[in-house]
Amino acid sequence: MNQTKTPSRRYFLGSALRATAAGTLAIGSGSALASIPSSRGLSFNHLHTNERISLVYAVGDNFLPQSITRLNTFLRDHYSGIVGTMDPGLFDLLYRVRQALGTSQSFDVISGYRSPVTNNTLRNTRGGGVAKKSLHMEGKAIDVRLPGVPLAELRDAAKSLEAGGVGYYPDSQFVHIDTGRVRSW
């Protein structure tokens, strides 16, 4: 009698992570990884570059290096093209915000990483509103909105998590979310 043993969940997760590290799974669609219960994914539309991305960026306690690299590139300084290093904790914060709102909608990105040169230029040309020591320069901040979700609800969901800074800009139609100290404005 020939019995086939079903692989354990731990074996499956380990295999998926090894395959991802080897680049053998299609992270762009993330369909194989998305089926893992402990996977976390996000989708973004960048309003300045007209690019879109949807991927699984973490499984369990492990951030997926290839996905993080793709997100760093996607969230680059859209003025200069400089790619920074985003805080992976920011992705978890955005994931939690989406969960709190009960949506799987893609975030519209207004600004992700910002180089020091770009930040200084914006400070000097925008008449305020750009911090001298902006967390965008550290890859710890993002300016977003969620289509179909009122801006005030997005702000309130981010604030409710008490996991970083939340800025509300209704005139510019975005919410700033960062992984700095808990504060709001």
Side-chain angles (χ1 to χ4, degrees):
M1 184 167 180
N2 191 2
Q3 289 184 325
T4 304
K5 186 176 179 184
T6 304
S8 69
R9 182 174 180 268
R10 176 171 281 164
Y11 174 81
F12 178 73
L13 287 173
S15 296
L17 288 173
R18 284 188 296 279
T20 300
T24 59
L25 284 179
I27 291 180
S29 66
S31 59
L33 293 174
S35 65
I36 300 171
S38 62
S39 68
R40 296 184 304 285
L42 289 168
S43 299
F44 297 101
N45 302 317
H46 201 297
L47 299 181
H48 295 285
T49 65
N50 293 316
E51 296 170 315
R52 298 178 188 279
I53 193 170
S54 182
L55 51 68
V56 171
Y57 68 90
V59 176
D61 294 334
N62 301 301
F63 290 105
L64 304 176
Q66 187 177 2
S67 293
I68 298 302
T69 297
R70 288 185 63 199
L71 287 168
N72 286 340
T73 301
F74 181 84
L75 294 170
R76 68 192 176 277
D77 180 331
H78 65 271
Y79 292 97
S80 68
I82 294 172
V83 176
T85 301
M86 300 301 291
D87 175 5
L90 183 61
F91 304 133
D92 273 346
L93 181 53
L94 293 170
Y95 180 82
R96 291 174 55 211
V97 166
R98 241 177 34 172
Q99 281 186 311
L101 291 165
T103 183
S104 60
Q105 183 68 29
S106 296
F107 283 99
D108 282 346
V109 176
I110 289 84
S111 183
Y113 174 75
R114 199 181 296 150
S115 73
V117 170
T118 295
N119 197 73
N120 191 47
T121 299
L122 294 175
R123 273 183 56 73
N124 294 324
T125 60
R126 295 282 167 101
V130 177
K132 184 175 186 175
K133 295 183 179 181
S134 171
L135 291 177
H136 285 277
M137 296 186 298
E138 298 177 34
K140 294 182 176 184
I142 192 166
D143 299 334
V144 293
R145 62 180 169 236
L146 271 171
V149 175
L151 209 57
E153 286 182 31
L154 175 57
R155 174 204 59 204
D156 293 347
K159 284 176 63 173
S160 74
L161 298 174
E162 297 183 349
V166 180
Y168 182 56
Y169 298 91
D171 292 341
S172 300
Q173 285 295 296
F174 71 85
V175 173
H176 167 99
I177 299 174
D178 69 51
T179 56
R181 63 184 168 78
V182 177
R183 67 217 185 285
S184 63
W185 60 95

